[in-house]
Amino acid sequence: MKSVRFDVLTIFPRMIDFYISESIIKRAIERGIIEVGVTNIRDFAVDKHLTVDDYPFGGGPGMVMRIEPLYRALTHVKGRQKKHTILLSPEGSVLTQAKAVELSQIKDGIVLISGRYEGVDERISHSIDEEISIGDFILTGGELPALVIIDAVARLLPGVLGDERSNVEESFTGGLLDYPHFTRPAEFMGMRVPEVLMSGNHKEILKWQRQQSLKRTMLKKPELIDETKLTEDDKEIIEQLKEEV
């Protein structure tokens, strides 16, 4: 299987290097499932001071990332290949599990541009495929969003997680939030694990898990209920939960 390639353009490469050298992402790289290239935009600056930012035309607060080093870095990384290029920006569409699944299907490679300062020169928009945000808030740069995308996409690839069922059963994969999880000890400070989970009755366990998943979703993210394809049993459970609430 061909590995999936991520290229991150940043002026703080060590931020990326540190994260990808740990845990699941590190193992995915060692297994050849993914590749992560990190390119320092500053290496492509056009002056001796390696300047990557400048004052905005028209005035205004802050600095803007210059087009020349960014464009040169992007051209260098893409070469003659057609790579899906993403600008991390608070103006982009918010990352969802569905978008992570979509990105995991891309085989030609993904380039992630980590902006800084007040933003990047608008002319880079002619060289990108889409803008993505990880939420309606402002960060100091695009490095964290880039890592979030790498993590969200990588764990969907075969062989990255230890148990392939993890992707199937976790939050959002089926449109609902995940059910509660418990492990040893069976009792802690008077709080006991639900008896059904220790009963060995797999049919009842699955039923309990579905009920809890529906209940959590109703209480925490009710909007997801309307977006989920529900069975008749699900609808009956929801009506019972509404009465309880």
Side-chain angles (χ1 to χ4, degrees):
M1 181 184 71
K2 182 182 176 181
S3 62
V4 175
R5 171 90 181 184
F6 298 92
D7 281 286
V8 184
L9 274 56
T10 173
I11 60 172
F12 294 108
R14 286 189 296 177
M15 292 178 66
I16 308 298
D17 289 335
F18 179 80
Y19 187 83
I20 66 174
S21 64
E22 300 289 342
S23 190
I24 290 175
I25 299 301
K26 176 186 178 182
R27 293 198 297 270
I29 294 172
E30 291 174 343
R31 294 171 183 170
I33 301 171
I34 68 170
E35 299 176 67
V36 181
V38 185
T39 298
N40 191 340
I41 298 169
R42 201 176 294 279
D43 291 342
F44 295 86
V46 295
D47 66 332
K48 64 180 181 179
H49 300 294
L50 304 181
T51 307
V52 293
D53 64 314
D54 210 332
Y55 294 102
F57 282 121
M63 306 290 278
V64 176
M65 186 170 282
R66 295 179 63 169
I67 183 66
E68 307 106 318
L70 186 54
Y71 181 79
R72 292 173 66 183
L74 181 59
T75 302
H76 171 79
V77 165
K78 294 177 74 171
R80 295 181 179 274
Q81 294 179 286
K82 179 176 172 57
K83 293 185 177 183
H84 190 76
T85 303
I86 298 170
L87 174 64
L88 287 314
S89 165
E91 298 177 8
S93 57
V94 177
L95 180 67
T96 63
Q97 187 66 15
K99 171 56 73 170
V101 171
E102 180 185 322
L103 293 176
S104 72
Q105 306 302 314
I106 295 175
K107 304 302 180 185
D108 297 327
I110 297 173
V111 180
L112 301 164
I113 301 176
S114 303
R116 278 272 158 177
Y117 314 114
E118 284 298 309
V120 301
D121 189 297
E122 182 66 20
R123 287 168 288 188
I124 199 63
S125 63
H126 297 286
S127 303
I128 65 172
D129 296 297
E130 63 177 319
E131 296 181 49
I132 292 181
S133 164
I134 61 168
D136 294 332
F137 49 86
I138 307 299
L139 297 171
T140 55
E143 286 76 18
L144 288 174
L147 290 170
V148 167
I149 289 178
I150 292 172
D151 195 294
V153 173
R155 65 196 315 281
L156 294 170
L157 302 174
V160 172
L161 298 182
D163 189 336
E164 297 302 322
R165 294 175 301 173
S166 296
N167 274 329
V168 177
E169 297 181 358
E170 63 194 2
S171 293
F172 302 116
T173 300
L176 302 174
L177 299 183
D178 203 2
Y179 50 81
H181 296 273
F182 300 88
T183 187
R184 295 180 178 84
E187 182 174 349
F188 175 71
M189 296 180 65
M191 297 176 285
R192 288 191 55 79
V193 173
E195 292 295 335
V196 64
L197 297 181
M198 299 183 288
S199 68
N201 187 328
H202 295 294
K203 182 178 179 180
E204 288 301 313
I205 290 173
L206 290 173
K207 181 180 177 181
W208 180 89
Q209 290 172 339
R210 186 64 177 181
Q211 289 173 336
Q212 295 299 311
S213 181
L214 287 163
K215 183 176 182 179
R216 275 195 166 187
T217 306
M218 282 182 61
L219 294 174
K220 296 182 177 182
K221 289 187 177 290
E223 68 275 10
L224 294 178
I225 295 289
D226 296 331
E227 302 170 6
T228 303
K229 186 175 181 180
L230 301 174
T231 66
E232 291 303 316
D233 287 342
D234 289 339
K235 294 175 183 178
E236 186 176 333
I237 292 171
I238 288 174
E239 289 305 315
Q240 291 175 355
L241 291 172
K242 285 181 179 178
E243 291 179 9
E244 291 178 14
V245 173

